[in-house]
Amino acid sequence: MRTYRASTLPFSQFSLTEFVGELSHSGVSAIELAQVHYSDVAAETISTLQEETGLHFTSMLSTVGVDAPNGLETLISILDTAQRLSISTISIASGGNETATAREIEAIIDGLKTVIAEAEARNLTLMLYAHEGSLAYNLERTQQILNAIPSENLGFYYSPFHFHRAGDDPVIALRTLSDRLSSVYFNCGVDSETGIEPFWAPEMDFRAICQEIARVGYAGEIMLIYLGLKAETPQPIIEGVSNARAKLESYF
């Protein structure tokens, strides 16, 4: 049976207590915390929410690039926050940009190696995600970073949408990087280009993508990040997550 995790990023204007309980009734069993929700939250609050809702807080999202001003220090502080909250997994961006020079790529990889060493010392796992505009924007660059850092504490966080945006075949990207696969997520919500929901880039072959997820043996949580709604309450976003989960199930 597939399990699902929801990102709190779309709920940035709301406190955790305003929506987490409702997510537990929407087919979601786990939570990925965005920075706005983990920066100042007390460990006791997370513990209480887990007990009250039955949800597991299993990961955190960082959008900080290691090459940003104070990027290395910020990422290390996020590792400390994960330890404080007893959350073992952090999804991270590569930093950099699509037009990075060979020297810039080398510097970013060296910075990421330092972050990984700090994660290893804390018994934490990091997941690298591809994203347009960053160094790891396509299959080739993502593979280059993962090959340069063969640590068991660095995995690959697969989203078909970002490889599609980069002009790569999402199925081939997953197949190529499956040995390092740590988790899977789908970008859903209102597609800014088409206005269609629940998934961005609806022209992708979602059935083929889901079949490949099953073929490579991935049995972990599938994370849903539901963006694009201008909601005054959490409820429309919660309903969007629920609808996206149901739609995704139909592809498996």
Side-chain angles (χ1 to χ4, degrees), residues 113-132:
K113 287 179 178 178
T114 299
V115 178
I116 297 302
E118 295 288 342
E120 290 173 349
R122 294 164 173 78
N123 197 28
L124 300 172
T125 298
L126 305 186
M127 304 184 298
L128 178 71
Y129 59 86
H131 201 288
E132 61 266 23

Side-chain angles (χ1 to χ4, degrees), residues 78-156:
I78 290 172
L79 302 184
D80 291 336
T81 297
Q83 268 198 311
R84 177 175 61 82
L85 299 179
S86 299
I87 294 175
S88 62
T89 305
I90 305 163
S91 56
I92 63 168
S94 64
N97 57 67
E98 297 179 12
T99 59
T101 64
R103 180 175 294 181
E104 289 168 339
I105 292 172
E106 182 180 358
I108 287 172
I109 289 174
D110 284 345
L112 289 172
K113 287 179 178 178
T114 299
V115 178
I116 297 302
E118 295 288 342
E120 290 173 349
R122 294 164 173 78
N123 197 28
L124 300 172
T125 298
L126 305 186
M127 304 184 298
L128 178 71
Y129 59 86
H131 201 288
E132 61 266 23
S134 68
L135 177 61
Y137 75 98
N138 65 359
L139 173 57
E140 180 181 1
R141 286 280 186 76
T142 304
Q143 191 172 22
Q144 180 180 1
I145 294 171
L146 291 173
N147 286 344
I149 311 176
S151 169
E152 293 182 357
N153 293 70
L154 178 64
F156 161 53

Side-chain angles (χ1 to χ4, degrees), residues 238-251:
I238 293 169
E239 291 175 1
V241 170
S242 180
N243 292 338
R245 182 193 60 79
K247 182 64 175 178
L248 193 60
E249 279 292 314
S250 73
Y251 292 128

Side-chain angles (χ1 to χ4, degrees), residues 5-7 31-33 58-62 89-93 126-131 136 142 146 154-160 162-163 174 177 180-187 218 221-225:
R5 181 168 74 246
S7 170
I31 296 294
E32 178 166 292
L33 290 172
T58 57
S59 61
M60 293 170 23
L61 166 67
S62 168
T89 305
I90 305 163
S91 56
I92 63 168
L126 305 186
M127 304 184 298
L128 178 71
Y129 59 86
H131 201 288
T142 304
L146 291 173
L154 178 64
F156 161 53
Y157 201 2
Y158 171 67
S159 168
H162 293 294
F163 287 109
L174 174 57
L177 300 172
R180 298 290 292 274
L181 182 63
S182 293
S183 193
V184 170
Y185 76 98
F186 283 82
N187 298 77
Y218 180 74
E221 298 159 356
I222 294 176
M223 201 275 282
L224 300 173
I225 181 166

Side-chain angles (χ1 to χ4, degrees), residues 165-238:
R165 284 288 297 270
D168 292 318
D169 184 327
V171 173
I172 292 175
L174 174 57
R175 189 174 301 160
T176 302
L177 300 172
S178 60
D179 287 348
R180 298 290 292 274
L181 182 63
S182 293
S183 193
V184 170
Y185 76 98
F186 283 82
N187 298 77
C188 47
V190 180
D191 189 303
S192 60
E193 295 183 2
T194 66
I196 297 174
E197 56 180 324
F199 295 107
W200 292 6
E203 68 275 11
M204 289 192 298
D205 189 344
F206 284 91
R207 195 170 302 279
I209 290 166
C210 290
Q211 288 174 350
E212 188 65 18
I213 290 170
R215 192 196 69 78
V216 302
Y218 180 74
E221 298 159 356
I222 294 176
M223 201 275 282
L224 300 173
I225 181 166
Y226 199 92
L227 300 167
L229 288 182
K230 295 180 180 179
E232 295 183 359
T233 70
Q235 195 58 38
I237 307 173
I238 293 169

